Amino acid sequence: MMQPPALFSRPLPVAVLIVVAVLLDQAIKAAVELWLPYGQDVPVLPFLALHRIYNYGVAFSLFSGVERWFIIGLRIVVVAFVIWLWRKTPDNRFFTHLGYALIIAGAIGNLIDGLVFGYVIDYVLFHLPTWSFAVFNLADSFITIGAGAIILDEFLHMKKRDA
């Protein structure tokens, strides 16, 4: 029996999700730029702080010493590749399509920063008294959640194949 296509396998819902996610990411980054002091922790919870920094590289500041246009080009290639993957994915793979849409949104959000500022604005810091995680932003969260959705979909479909 054929399943109907998953919501995010269709272009319009994906485009709406991506636009809304990118606008939200950019609005938060604008607020961070206006009101959050650079390089200072603003405690939110005992393990969470707002901490504005600029990331001149990609995830975890990788390639921070590399030419800006290389990083921008790399982000464009990633967006194009994920769009290609999205188009090639079977229509019934809801979480995979959702994941690709979130990855595209996150990559575009960080791409905009790279084009406009030459760096990505990061502002979320998870930490413990003797350890801290890399500072990140909403776009990075979209990418991470998107990857998790794709992995979840693979597990769900593995289970269906084995049944």
Side-chain angles (χ1 to χ4, degrees), residues 33-109:
E33 279 292 284
L34 285 172
W35 294 305
L36 191 62
Y38 185 85
Q40 298 177 26
D41 286 356
V42 177
V44 177
L45 295 169
F47 56 87
L48 176 68
L50 298 177
H51 183 94
R52 176 171 55 121
I53 63 165
Y54 301 142
N55 179 350
Y56 291 89
V58 293
F60 305 107
S61 294
L62 293 172
F63 304 125
S64 58
V66 174
E67 181 65 36
R68 171 183 176 206
W69 293 107
F70 173 79
I71 292 171
I72 289 170
L74 183 64
R75 287 188 175 119
I76 290 169
V77 168
V78 167
V79 169
F81 179 66
V82 176
I83 290 170
W84 179 81
L85 288 173
W86 174 82
R87 293 186 69 209
K88 294 294 184 185
T89 300
D91 286 350
N92 65 338
R93 303 295 295 265
F94 174 82
F95 288 110
T96 297
H97 284 284
L98 173 62
Y100 288 146
L102 290 171
I103 291 169
I104 293 165
I108 290 172

Side-chain angles (χ1 to χ4, degrees), residues 2-30:
M2 288 283 294
Q3 292 181 341
L7 175 66
F8 295 111
S9 70
R10 296 189 306 264
L12 183 60
V14 165
V16 169
L17 175 64
I18 290 170
V19 167
V20 168
V22 169
L23 289 174
L24 183 61
D25 172 65
Q26 293 298 302
I28 291 171
K29 287 174 180 172

